[in-house]
Structures are given as structure tokens and as C-alpha cells.
Amino acid sequence: PNICTLSHMELFLVGLEKEQQANRDYFKNIETENNIDFPNLIFSHTVLKTLRSSTLSAIDQRYAIRALKQLDSAIALSNNITELATNANLRISGESAPTMDNNRLKRLRRFKHPTLGNQIFEDHVKNFPNSKRMHIISDYINNTVCIGYFGNHLKTSSE
């Protein structure tokens, strides 16, 4: 936006606050499974709490919604993580071997899948500002993606 006066800045901030509240309200209606907007996605309770949080910025919400829509559409066309990344037009990768070989770092990627219980969510989407990540588990047989985590980049072996 073109902001050249204080009143422009105030209007811009009010707009961001309204968008943030609307997105929080939107996420309050999202359940762990069987959502109209995301029929192919499963959400952990942890990630739903994050997406509904007042501390998540409107910009982060906007990027998250975009990635969720892309994952939801792409999973039905994909047979592996490479195809999912291509079909969703997202940067998705797994963790490095040194990170996954470190039990402490591996545990950071353990989240509770709503139906499978505690799982390691190694694959992650990287298309977010401020190095945020979305950790996922993809099921190519049932065409679903479970979102286990969205937030700050988790510690790796190279940090």
C-alpha cells in the first residue's frame, strides 16, 4: 500500500486488524477433519490452536490459508512428496539426516495426529515469511495431508 501520512498508516493498521480477526473467526470454524473448505486436510489440535491465536499476524494467516488451499487441491493429484510440492507450487522438503538422527531434534517434530496419535512430522512447507514452517504428513492412498505444526522454524542440527 501507498502510505504517506499518519492517517494512511492508521487506516492500513485498522484493515490488518480486521483481517486478522476475520481469519481467527474463520479458523474457529475449522475442525480437525471433514471441513468443507479443506476436505483433504486434517488438522492437529496444536495447529488449530496456533491458527486461532491472536498472536498470529494477518500476514502469516494469509500465507497459511494460501498454503492450505494449495495442499488441499494438490494431494489428490500427487503420489509422493515431490509431486505434492510441484502440484501445490510450494517448497516442501524433509529434514536433514543429521537433524533426524538427533533424538532431541526429532522430538521437536512430534505432534499428535488426530487419529494416528503421536507422529513425526518431518516434511515441511517453507513458503512463509520470517522462516515460518508448516510441518505435514501426507497420505497418498487416502489423499489427505495432516497439518501438525505451523510456526517458527524448528531447531536443526546446523543451528
Side-chain angles (χ1 to χ4, degrees):
N2 187 7
I3 299 173
C4 53
T5 67
L6 185 56
S7 63
H8 289 156
M9 176 61 83
E10 289 169 351
L11 285 172
F12 176 73
L13 292 175
V14 166
L16 274 181
E17 288 172 5
K18 286 181 180 178
E19 178 183 353
Q20 185 182 35
Q21 184 59 52
N23 287 336
R24 272 199 315 269
D25 292 343
Y26 174 74
F27 282 121
K28 285 179 184 172
N29 292 316
I30 299 293
E31 300 292 332
T32 56
E33 296 184 73
N34 303 317
N35 293 288
I36 294 170
D37 289 349
F38 304 112
N40 301 314
L41 300 185
I42 300 169
F43 296 88
S44 73
H45 292 286
T46 301
V47 83
L48 286 176
K49 183 177 178 183
T50 300
L51 294 171
R52 295 169 180 161
S53 170
S54 62
T55 61
L56 190 63
S57 75
I59 302 298
D60 289 335
Q61 291 170 331
R62 193 181 303 158
Y63 275 84
I65 291 169
R66 183 180 308 142
L68 293 170
K69 288 179 179 178
Q70 290 167 269
L71 287 168
D72 186 67
S73 299
I75 187 63
L77 308 170
S78 306
N79 295 304
N80 56 54
I81 196 67
T82 303
E83 289 180 11
L84 181 62
T86 300
N87 293 332
N89 195 28
L90 293 170
R91 290 187 357 232
I92 304 173
S93 68
E95 296 291 356
S96 69
T99 295
M100 295 309 291
D101 289 342
N102 181 313
N103 284 333
R104 184 178 56 79
L105 297 175
K106 188 175 183 176
R107 276 193 304 274
L108 295 176
R109 287 140 181 87
R110 182 182 304 275
F111 304 101
K112 190 170 184 179
H113 187 291
T115 56
L116 301 176
N118 288 329
Q119 300 289 314
I120 300 296
F121 286 73
E122 179 182 351
D123 293 333
H124 54 281
V125 180
K126 304 176 183 181
N127 296 66
F128 305 102
N130 302 317
S131 299
K132 289 209 173 8
R133 298 291 190 260
M134 181 179 285
H135 283 257
I136 63 173
I137 292 179
S138 305
D139 178 344
Y140 302 102
I141 295 170
N142 294 309
N143 292 328
T144 60
V145 176
C146 182
I147 316 301
Y149 172 83
F150 178 68
N152 292 330
H153 188 278
L154 300 173
K155 189 171 177 149
T156 64
S157 63
S158 62
E159 295 172 348

